[in-house]
Amino acid sequence: SQQGEEDPQALSIQEGENATMNCSYKTSINNLQWYRQNSGRGLVHLILIRSNEREKHSGRLRVTLDTSKKSSSLLITASRAADTASYFCATENQAGTALIFGKGTTLSVSS
Amino acid sequence: NAGVTQTPKFRVLKTGQSMTLLCAQDMNHEYMYWYRQDPGMGLRLIHYSVGEGTTAKGEVPDGYNVSRLKKQNFLLGLESAAPSQTSVYFCASNTVRAGAFFGQGTRLTVV
């Protein structure tokens, strides 16, 4: 079964608005990662947050991690049409040897 | 620096045929993965490797075999292709507890 589950499955917003996606996971983690996938392309790593971190920023991206609730959120501020993509969270399996992905959130940003 | 390269990019197989997908990375990464991506299912882990000469089963290993004879290469084999194996296949690599780099994918159709 998949470790991480993203919510919502789909999100449609206007350019300039903020987009928030959530990820819940089941077991304890060492880190949680977020990826972006443009249509028909491979995944691109966005940000990694370690279990002892609560918040991390990268440009317009802000990731939070709440290990007590086993959840993470990805916030994209001031969205652009180019942010249209699917976003996935990933955690390691229990052995810490493989990355397991959720089903993703499809973000559509219209101009 | 090519990153992660998958060959071929597209392939059509007849049911029962066999084929091998090749993944090559030039980043000296220890870990390598094969995923399949189907609509609505996210990425599912087929097999993975934590180092040269080692392989392990992921979430959906049936019908696939893998080999990691050289650190930079990870091969995925389909022994007897079935229509259910029609999918987009992604290879990825990373070092321990770090973000993964993905190839551009192989679109496989089994008829």
Side-chain angles (χ1 to χ4, degrees):
Chain A
S1 61
Q2 289 172 304
Q3 162 77 311
E5 292 290 338
E6 294 89 344
D7 172 69
Q9 288 187 337
L11 181 60
S12 293
I13 59 173
Q14 298 286 320
E15 263 192 330
E17 294 180 336
N18 296 341
T20 299
M21 288 157 265
N22 303 296
C23 172
S24 59
Y25 57 92
K26 299 173 183 174
T27 62
S28 61
I29 59 171
N30 290 296
N31 65 70
L32 186 142
Q33 304 179 27
W34 284 92
Y35 290 78
R36 183 187 72 233
Q37 183 182 34
N38 292 94
S39 180
R41 308 295 296 274
L43 279 72
V44 174
H45 179 253
L46 294 176
I47 198 164
L48 180 153
I49 185 165
R50 303 190 192 287
S51 60
N52 62 352
E53 297 175 312
R54 291 297 168 259
E55 188 171 311
K56 203 162 183 179
H57 296 256
S58 177
R60 293 184 296 111
L61 305 181
R62 172 178 167 253
V63 169
T64 61
L65 179 64
D66 187 335
T67 53
S68 67
K69 295 181 179 178
K70 292 186 170 59
S71 68
S72 174
S73 66
L74 170 66
L75 168 68
I76 304 174
T77 59
S79 295
R80 306 166 181 169
D83 294 326
T84 294
S86 292
Y87 293 82
F88 297 86
C89 68
T91 57
E92 293 169 341
N93 62 359
Q94 290 192 319
T97 53
L99 280 175
I100 307 296
F101 286 80
K103 295 183 180 180
T105 292
T106 299
L107 173 66
S108 177
V109 182
S110 54
S111 54
Chain B
N1 189 342
V4 178
T5 303
Q6 291 182 231
T7 53
K9 290 184 172 51
F10 302 93
R11 185 73 186 268
V12 178
L13 282 181
K14 294 183 178 180
T15 298
Q17 287 185 320
S18 63
M19 77 163 294
T20 300
L21 282 67
L22 171 64
C23 176
Q25 53 97 0
D26 61 2
M27 297 169 284
N28 202 35
H29 286 164
E30 297 91 352
Y31 290 10
M32 296 187 75
Y33 314 87
W34 276 108
Y35 295 91
R36 61 177 289 173
Q37 185 174 34
D38 304 292
M41 299 296 291
L43 276 81
R44 292 183 291 171
L45 182 63
I46 304 172
H47 286 280
Y48 63 99
S49 168
V50 300
E52 181 178 319
T54 73
T55 62
K57 294 180 180 180
E59 302 167 282
V60 288
D62 294 343
Y64 305 95
N65 57 75
V66 288
S67 64
R68 182 110 180 258
L69 299 179
K70 294 182 179 180
K71 187 176 184 179
Q72 64 267 35
N73 295 337
F74 195 28
L75 279 64
L76 178 70
L78 282 72
E79 298 162 340
S80 179
S84 61
Q85 294 176 304
T86 293
S87 187
V88 181
Y89 292 86
F90 287 100
C91 175
S93 71
N94 67 343
T95 55
V96 176
R97 309 214 190 286
F101 291 79
F102 277 76
Q104 289 303 298
T106 296
R107 189 172 297 275
L108 175 67
T109 302
V110 182
V111 298

